[in-house]
Amino acid sequence: MTKPFIFKVGTALRGVRQSCVTGLFLLLLACSASADALLRGTVTDAATGAPAACTVTITDAAGKTVTETDAFKGGFRCAGAFEKQLPPGRTRVRVTRGFETRAEARDVVLRDGEATNLVLSLSRTVDLRSRGWVAGDSHVHMIHGERNLPVDFAFVGLTARSEDLRYLSLAHAWQLDDPTPEHLDAALAPHATPDCALAWNIEAPKNYYKGDAGRCLGHCWTLGLRGRTAAGADVIPLLLRASAWDYESAKPTFANFESHALIRAQGGAAFYSHPLRWWTGAWGGQGGYPKQERMRVSNMAVELPLDTLLGPTYDGLDVFTSGGEAEANAKAFQLWALLLNHGYRVAATASSDACFDRAGGAVPGSARTYTYLGQKPFSFAAVARATAAGRTFATTGPLLLADVDGAAPGSAVPADGKDHTLRIEAWASGKDSAGLKQAEILRNGQPFVTEAFKTPQPAWQTNLVLRETEPAWYCVRLTGGPQGGRAVSGAFFFDPAPHRPPPPATCHIRARVVDAVSGSPLDATVTEVFDVLSAPRDGASHPAPAGLADFAIPGTARLRASAPGYAATTLSPVYDCPALAEAITRLNDADLLQWETFERFRALLANVELTFSLYPTKR
């Protein structure tokens, strides 16, 4: 609609010829006139005819992408209908819905002052839910920390449906004044649907050693976590207490494995994210740290080797984190393969690290984990168990189903020399018009069979007979087009005998207990302490006559030294041991990809020296 325009000729124009005034008036009137056309869009699901939540990308006649929030710059999210006032002219409309749905695009010519109606129907290239696979993203921040953009739970829910996620687990922080588990459940429930479940979770541990972003211990996302302990404690502050964020230099240090213990005790699973990510940038000026313009800032999982030897205390790691970290993702796959090659059967996962309060960050599902539930009903607990068991494929686009003799990834197959059939079905992402470029079958992390397609394929399938008499594992990897991303299946394990995971490493302690004032040795007792985050419990006790003790303990324990007339002191055998703390926190990405690093940690665990300085109690 043309808006009214008022032009007044002032006294300064009285001497100007009327023709000039009239021309100027007409020029300004033309500029003021609306150049809008109306585009109405309806998007439905081809199978049901119901409105389809989706992502709409409109490129207008000026070449501009139409957006509704700076949080998402790839278009706008739509519940199935939209109206947009646009400049007249040739306009491109593209509609997507996750990876399983074929993108639809139309070119329309919009005319000034006219309405154009556009109806689009979305069809699946494959329906993986009907085949027992569910897609989700559990590394998504409602408020990451920037707080540059407003966000609400309704937009989060619409975004999850638009990306065709079966579930989204939303991490801290949240747009709530009092984010208890109950309040979060109530805030999310109205925006979930039977086809798209919403839950909250914690990116925990998210841990920087003494608040130093150059010495990150690693970040994990959680899945299936109950919100209250058996004693009724809220797990959110418990887990946040155990993570030192940037600049929190005065915060007590907790090991990541101590958070993992609480997560598992609550029925959840923990997965390391972006384990090889680091960059160079400005940092410092707070928390007692000097300002540096070019510092090596880390999100790396440097505690992972220790957590592996002690358990593993975690359940898997992301081989993909978002679509734009090719080098870090390639190294993450190498790390996963290294762990499997040494008998640690952790899951392969993916997550987006989407951030709704960051410009361009509201992109959950750009990297996602598919988990096989089969005929089991959906629940977050069921997804957590199946994901931890390795029944997964990770993807930033391509879709990949693989089984051996009908068994899902994570399965063990007898290495009996007999024929076993690896069956593969693959599809390019519905967002990717270029198709699949390459498929690889890898044995023990190395290419075994490579199929490079002469022309990109929209879909591909094959069977391969495998015969093994030795321990081995296989997975499948896909490469899509320029924007089509990659996918990796979980592993299939061939075992000549039932698999026995490596036993957890023990920690050998040489303890000294002394008077903090005089330094004199004390007759003392040193007691193992477990579950320090929620419900500390005592384990075995070790006498320390004349202040000396030599003993072995599980590496996940803390130790409390006590003596009559003195206040007890508790130490961590890991982070109160300077040699271990320094070795862990100074690792780089190359170190994480060398098994020698793991063996070095094992040797350090075998020789831990701790001195407990006890202060007399007041009389």
Side-chain angles (χ1 to χ4, degrees), residues 251-553:
K251 201 170 186 179
T253 298
F254 285 83
N256 282 356
F257 60 72
E258 292 172 321
S259 293
H260 297 160
L262 174 57
I263 291 163
R264 285 181 167 180
Q266 291 301 113
F271 303 85
Y272 268 108
S273 190
H274 45 64
L276 277 300
R277 178 200 283 171
W278 65 273
W279 66 96
T280 301
W283 191 81
Q286 300 180 46
Y289 292 104
K291 179 72 173 179
Q292 298 183 56
E293 294 303 322
R294 291 186 57 80
M295 190 184 91
R296 182 185 175 95
V297 181
S298 171
N299 280 178
M300 291 189 298
V302 299
E303 198 190 289
L304 181 146
L306 179 70
D307 296 344
T308 301
L309 295 174
L310 296 180
T313 63
Y314 59 97
D315 298 285
L317 62 90
D318 283 349
V319 295
F320 301 124
T321 307
S322 79
E325 300 188 42
E327 183 177 356
N329 287 341
K331 291 178 179 178
F333 178 85
Q334 293 176 45
L335 177 59
W336 180 61
L338 179 71
L339 297 172
L340 268 56
N341 283 338
H342 287 85
Y344 295 96
R345 296 186 173 179
V346 297
T349 56
S351 68
S352 67
D353 201 4
C355 303
F356 276 82
D357 64 334
R358 178 186 292 171
V363 286
S366 55
R368 63 185 70 184
T369 301
Y370 274 83
T371 302
Y372 183 67
L373 294 182
Q375 298 304 310
K376 295 179 180 178
F378 176 88
S379 71
F380 280 96
V383 175
R385 290 191 297 270
T387 305
R391 295 195 285 273
T392 63
F393 74 85
T395 183
T396 58
L399 302 167
L400 170 61
L401 297 190
D403 67 72
V404 173
D405 298 340
S411 299
V413 182
D416 52 12
K418 297 179 180 179
D419 290 358
H420 297 278
T421 302
L422 170 64
R423 183 179 63 176
I424 303 169
E425 296 178 85
W427 301 264
S429 167
K431 297 182 179 183
D432 176 24
S433 60
L436 299 171
K437 293 175 60 179
Q438 181 173 277
E440 301 169 276
I441 299 167
L442 297 99
R443 180 182 185 274
N444 296 339
Q446 298 299 317
F448 181 68
V449 174
T450 299
E451 182 79 20
F453 306 120
K454 293 182 179 179
T455 57
Q457 300 295 307
W460 178 77
Q461 62 181 356
T462 193
N463 294 337
L464 181 69
V465 173
L466 302 175
R467 302 181 190 92
E468 286 288 352
T469 58
E470 299 178 353
W473 62 273
Y474 289 81
C475 72
V476 183
R477 185 165 63 190
L478 296 176
T479 303
Q483 303 299 322
R486 308 194 88 184
V488 171
S489 76
F492 300 92
F493 302 99
F494 283 77
D495 295 325
H499 174 67
R500 292 184 178 181
T506 57
C507 185
H508 195 96
I509 303 291
R510 289 201 295 273
R512 293 177 62 243
V513 186
V514 300
D515 183 297
V517 178
S518 67
S520 301
L522 299 172
D523 289 328
T525 300
V526 181
T527 303
E528 300 170 17
V529 184
F530 299 91
D531 298 331
V532 296
L533 280 183
S534 57
R537 58 181 176 85
D538 289 355
S541 292
H542 308 274
L548 296 176
D550 193 306
F551 52 89
I553 64 169

Side-chain angles (χ1 to χ4, degrees), residues 7 25 29-30 65 91 115 135 246 260 285 321 399 461 491 494 516 518 546 610:
F7 180 82
F25 177 81
L29 182 63
T65 299
T91 302
D246 290 78
H260 297 160
T321 307
L399 302 167
Q461 62 181 356
F494 283 77
S518 67
L610 291 176

Side-chain angles (χ1 to χ4, degrees), residues 166-319:
R166 179 61 184 85
Y167 68 91
L168 183 148
S169 191
L170 187 65
H172 68 291
W174 307 275
Q175 196 67 42
L176 283 178
D177 293 333
D178 183 19
T180 65
E182 296 77 16
H183 290 166
L184 284 164
D185 290 341
L188 288 163
H191 309 293
T193 69
D195 293 327
C196 183
L198 301 176
W200 60 270
N201 79 339
I202 302 282
E203 185 182 10
K206 183 176 183 176
N207 215 352
Y208 297 92
Y209 182 65
K210 299 187 182 300
D212 186 345
R215 304 173 79 181
C216 180
L217 301 182
H219 298 182
C220 294
W221 50 267
T222 64
L223 184 62
L225 182 71
R226 292 189 295 270
R228 297 269 173 191
T229 67
D234 185 340
V235 301
I236 295 172
L238 292 178
L239 286 170
L240 295 181
R241 179 171 69 95
S243 290
W245 295 2
D246 290 78
Y247 305 117
E248 291 187 325
S249 53
K251 201 170 186 179
T253 298
F254 285 83
N256 282 356
F257 60 72
E258 292 172 321
S259 293
H260 297 160
L262 174 57
I263 291 163
R264 285 181 167 180
Q266 291 301 113
F271 303 85
Y272 268 108
S273 190
H274 45 64
L276 277 300
R277 178 200 283 171
W278 65 273
W279 66 96
T280 301
W283 191 81
Q286 300 180 46
Y289 292 104
K291 179 72 173 179
Q292 298 183 56
E293 294 303 322
R294 291 186 57 80
M295 190 184 91
R296 182 185 175 95
V297 181
S298 171
N299 280 178
M300 291 189 298
V302 299
E303 198 190 289
L304 181 146
L306 179 70
D307 296 344
T308 301
L309 295 174
L310 296 180
T313 63
Y314 59 97
D315 298 285
L317 62 90
D318 283 349
V319 295

